[in-house]
Amino acid sequence: MSSFEKEIRRLHLTRCFGRAAARFVAVAVLLLLLGLALCVGDYLYGWETGVRIALVAAVLGVCGLAVLFALTRSFMTPLGETARNADSLASSGRRLAQCAQSLPEVEGDGLNSFLSSRLREEAREELRGISTGSRWSAGMVGRALLALGVVGVVGFVLVRSNPEAAGVVWQRLTQPNADVAPWSPLKFEVGPEGAEVLFGGSLSVEARLSGAEVTEDVYCLVRRPGSKSVERLRALRDHRGHYVRELEQVVDSLQIAFASGRARSAWMPVEVLLQPKIIEAQVSISPPAYSGLDEVAWLLETNAVKALQGSEVRVVARSHRPLSGGVLSLMPADGRKDALPEGLAGELIEEHRVAFAWTAGLSGQVSVDVEDVRGTAGAAPLEFSFQAMPDRAPVVDMTAPGPMVLATPQSELKLEGEVSDDFGLNKIQIVRSLVGLRDRAEVLADSLRKKRFEFGSPLALAELGVKPGQTLEFY
């Protein structure tokens, strides 16, 4: 490769980079101009999310194409164009670079070879005489930088004229998917914060507007999360100057905002609380061991439960929602207030089940309330009457002998009687007492499992060694 070819290629590469720099600055100017246009448009019209996304995508697409054009136009320039540009920059006007670049190099010792070498040498010297600024397309870069400066100054003046609006518009355009309300001199304070409403219930929402005079009607905007459909409900002004709207029969989670003209507040979520309901309750009763009764368990289908005093009672409530706990309260039938004054806290045994256990002592009205994992109280308590049945003492009926009997020491008496208990007999003894001597007991039955027991046996007084004048007692 001859020295001329090296020089022309060096100039070609330098001018490519210079022109690329100028064109990249021009792309920056284009981006700034389009950005300023978007900012002014959003400031004036407050575009919705879909419009902002489309416009930002269009601007980025145009700038991307401009970058691609700049690269292609800068680095795919033919070498011949560089030669023509070099001749236009030279002062001789002889077009040496174009001639040297277009004519083939002639080798040998003849005249043609001499003329060719001399042409290339003169062209190389002319190329070397081109200034550095011209090599790097300084004029083109300078004009692009000037345009960038002018656009930058315009943007700076706009930002300084209203920094708050500029910040809001910048955030809306750099984050087009974000829920950022359009800029407006009107300021909205929407409440209640963290709004919650029970399923099917009503909620009053309000907004306080400040910062500018309200010249247009105020509306409450309602939409479902993820939906593009927005319902506009007129808000009424109350005595405090706040704008209020009542939302009735709310069954889905919502997002609400207030708007007046193009001014709008940020969207505020309204959460619907699903109240837990007790859909099933199981009761189990473990009677005292002495009663001999078996433990029983059943699904509560009536509003009455009975248990022997001293029994261990357990109620397990199941809900359709995950639970965090519950409270059981007992209001005694006799009006006393000390049955369970603090309420009995339940034990969470499964995600949907909570258990309550206590010892049967008093009768009364039982109320069971549950709470889900979000702290929402149940729709209605589970209520039933509870009867703690007392364990009455066994009843002994001695039919013979009578209450007062006279007998000789040789007589034979007949002991007869009946013993009964409301829950069951365990052990029966008959005790005879002789005045002045210790009592003597005889076991008639042991380890019984009966509610009624009859007994009868003869009693020979001579075998007891009684004497005339002594008194015998039996019980």
Side-chain angles (χ1 to χ4, degrees):
M1 182 182 298
S2 66
S3 58
F4 166 75
E5 291 176 341
K6 292 180 181 179
E7 188 67 28
I8 191 67
R9 291 184 181 278
R10 188 180 300 114
L11 176 62
H12 177 73
L13 187 60
T14 303
R15 288 185 63 82
C16 285
F17 278 108
R19 289 179 176 273
R23 289 186 174 113
F24 284 149
V25 175
V27 171
V29 173
L30 176 64
L31 178 61
L32 279 178
L33 285 173
L34 294 176
L36 286 175
L38 286 183
C39 291
V40 173
D42 189 66
Y43 174 84
L44 295 176
Y45 303 108
W47 290 316
E48 291 298 327
T49 300
V51 177
R52 296 200 312 273
I53 292 176
L55 291 176
V56 170
V59 168
L60 294 178
V62 169
C63 292
L65 292 175
V67 169
L68 183 61
F69 171 79
L71 290 172
T72 304
R73 189 71 180 87
S74 300
F75 290 97
M76 297 189 68
T77 303
L79 198 60
E81 184 175 343
T82 301
R84 286 193 299 272
N85 291 331
D87 286 336
S88 65
L89 294 174
S91 58
S92 65
R94 298 168 61 192
R95 299 184 180 180
L96 295 177
Q98 293 182 68
C99 293
Q101 196 271 332
S102 61
L103 293 177
E105 184 177 3
V106 179
E107 297 182 356
D109 296 331
L111 178 61
N112 288 338
S113 175
F114 170 77
L115 294 175
S116 175
S117 298
R118 184 174 178 179
L119 174 62
R120 291 178 180 275
E121 184 64 24
E122 290 180 358
R124 182 178 67 84
E125 291 299 327
E126 193 170 77
L127 292 179
R128 286 183 175 181
I130 298 175
S131 65
T132 303
S134 298
R135 287 175 176 268
W136 286 95
S137 301
M140 186 177 180
V141 174
R143 289 189 296 272
L145 289 174
L146 178 60
L148 181 63
V150 171
V151 176
V153 169
V154 173
F156 178 78
V157 171
L158 292 176
V159 170
R160 294 298 298 173
S161 64
N162 196 335
E164 183 181 0
V168 173
V169 171
W170 173 260
Q171 187 178 5
R172 283 170 53 82
L173 293 180
T174 55
Q175 303 175 42
N177 283 318
D179 177 24
V180 182
W183 182 85
S184 168
L186 281 175
K187 307 302 177 188
F188 294 81
E189 295 181 23
V190 181
E193 187 176 356
E196 295 178 339
V197 59
L198 294 176
F199 180 86
S202 300
L203 175 68
S204 179
V205 293
E206 62 179 42
R208 187 173 75 89
L209 276 64
S210 60
E213 183 181 357
V214 180
T215 58
E216 301 184 55
D217 292 336
V218 177
Y219 290 87
C220 177
L221 310 182
V222 181
R223 72 181 184 186
R224 290 181 174 82
S227 173
K228 295 182 179 179
S229 176
V230 178
E231 185 178 3
R232 294 171 60 90
L233 307 174
R234 187 184 296 275
L236 301 178
R237 188 173 183 177
D238 64 9
H239 65 281
R240 301 168 300 165
H242 295 187
Y243 292 86
V244 182
R245 180 69 197 195
E246 187 81 10
L247 304 179
E248 299 178 346
Q249 298 182 348
V250 182
V251 296
D252 291 318
S253 294
L254 302 172
Q255 291 178 333
I256 65 140
F258 282 83
S260 177
R262 71 176 187 86
R264 174 178 67 81
S265 71
W267 290 98
M268 183 185 75
V270 175
E271 197 69 25
V272 174
L273 301 178
L274 301 177
Q275 288 184 288
K277 295 182 181 180
I278 298 177
I279 59 177
E280 179 184 278
Q282 185 177 32
V283 180
S284 61
I285 297 176
S286 299
Y290 73 84
S291 68
L293 300 177
D294 296 328
E295 179 180 349
V296 292
W298 71 96
L299 291 177
L300 184 62
E301 296 178 347
T302 63
N303 60 349
V305 175
K306 297 180 180 180
L308 176 63
Q309 285 183 339
S311 298
E312 295 299 325
V313 185
R314 180 179 171 90
V315 176
V316 179
R318 183 169 73 89
S319 173
H320 66 298
R321 288 188 53 77
L323 300 176
S324 63
V327 176
L328 181 145
S329 58
L330 172 63
M331 181 60 67
D334 57 7
R336 294 169 57 186
K337 303 293 185 182
D338 58 351
L340 292 170
E342 302 296 332
L344 177 64
E347 176 190 0
L348 190 65
I349 56 176
E350 292 179 7
E351 185 181 21
H352 295 265
R353 296 176 185 268
V354 61
F356 308 87
W358 77 99
T359 302
L362 294 175
S363 300
Q365 188 71 14
V366 174
S367 177
V368 178
D369 291 283
V370 295
E371 189 176 86
D372 69 7
V373 292
R374 299 179 60 182
T376 308
L382 169 69
E383 295 182 334
F384 60 89
S385 63
F386 179 76
Q387 182 180 0
M389 298 181 294
D391 184 7
R392 298 195 261 310
V395 178
V396 180
D397 182 18
M398 292 190 67
T399 59
M404 182 63 182
V405 177
L406 298 177
T408 66
Q410 302 301 322
S411 299
E412 183 177 276
L413 301 177
K414 188 173 183 180
L415 290 177
E416 291 182 344
E418 180 182 279
V419 182
S420 62
D421 187 72
D422 52 353
F423 287 103
L425 299 167
N426 183 35
K427 184 177 182 180
I428 300 175
Q429 300 179 89
I430 186 166
V431 181
R432 61 179 183 269
S433 175
L434 184 60
V435 177
L437 299 175
R438 65 182 180 85
D439 295 349
R440 293 186 179 182
E442 178 185 353
V443 177
L444 297 181
D446 196 6
S447 301
L448 285 175
R449 290 293 183 267
K450 297 181 178 180
K451 292 185 178 182
R452 185 170 176 272
F453 179 77
E454 295 180 351
F455 62 90
S457 62
L459 178 63
L461 298 182
E463 295 179 359
L464 302 179
V466 298
K467 297 178 181 181
Q470 291 181 324
T471 299
L472 284 173
E473 296 180 347
F474 298 93
Y475 59 90

